[in-house]
Amino acid sequence: VECATVPVKTGYGVEITATVKGEDAEAETGASVQINTNMMVVSTDAEGKVAAAILDVAQQKVAYDMDGVAGEVDLRTKVEKEGDYGMKGVSAIGKEYFEQAKAYTEWMTGKTVAEVLEMPTYERDASHTACPDVEDLKASVTITVGDYLKAFAEATK
């Protein structure tokens, strides 16, 4: 990642979330767990503006059958998966996760930490509770960014 200006500080932030679903004996479905490790690396310049930022998520999903046997797990991050992540077909803007993450971090470049953290968001649905409500991002970012902002805040302390 190229820096827009000379960085004087670089930080790393992480926000981890977990979702667990129990087994359903009637439906004969096993349990599952999903761990999201949201990661941000942010460099700021002498004026406290973002010189560069990198965003990625290690999203591991493990499904268990009724006997408690775990299925296979893809250990690649969302960015590493590129088109294999499968967001393009369900995205209202037809963009994959890695494209949206790049657009989001490029939007941050040149802004102060406060400007990024004060970005307005809106709730699109129960799974997307903090979508960017910024005109410059409407055509390029539909992902929910709440956990990313938490990781960003940690990276810029």
Side-chain angles (χ1 to χ4, degrees):
V1 173
E2 287 188 29
C3 288
T5 58
V6 176
V8 295
K9 181 180 175 191
T10 299
Y12 176 70
V14 176
E15 178 67 18
I16 299 172
T17 61
T19 305
V20 178
K21 294 181 181 174
E23 72 177 42
D24 184 340
E26 273 187 40
E28 294 188 20
T29 56
S32 66
V33 64
Q34 176 176 309
I35 307 292
N36 289 346
T37 305
N38 304 281
M39 304 166 281
M40 291 279 310
V41 176
V42 182
S43 292
T44 52
D45 64 17
E47 295 176 3
K49 293 183 178 181
V50 175
I54 300 171
L55 164 65
D56 205 346
V57 178
Q59 181 181 69
Q60 275 67 54
K61 298 177 186 180
V62 181
Y64 296 88
D65 66 17
M66 291 297 290
D67 295 322
V69 177
E72 298 220 6
V73 179
D74 186 344
L75 296 178
R76 295 177 296 165
T77 67
K78 287 184 175 185
V79 170
E80 289 173 326
K81 289 178 183 177
E82 292 190 339
D84 291 343
Y85 186 67
M87 180 178 250
K88 187 175 187 172
V90 297
S91 168
I93 58 173
K95 295 197 182 287
E96 273 294 344
Y97 177 85
F98 74 96
E99 296 170 303
Q100 293 193 41
K102 182 178 180 187
Y104 180 54
T105 55
E106 286 176 349
W107 170 84
M108 293 177 179
T109 303
K111 293 179 176 42
T112 65
V113 169
E115 288 172 323
V116 173
L117 292 174
E118 293 166 0
M119 177 185 73
T121 62
Y122 70 96
E123 182 174 333
R124 186 174 77 222
D125 57 43
S127 297
H128 299 87
T129 57
C131 295
D133 195 11
V134 176
E135 198 60 41
D136 292 347
L137 292 176
K138 289 187 178 181
S140 59
V141 180
T142 60
I143 54 180
T144 191
V145 298
D147 290 335
Y148 307 154
L149 288 170
K150 291 175 185 174
F152 178 89
E154 184 178 332
T156 56
K157 282 183 187 176

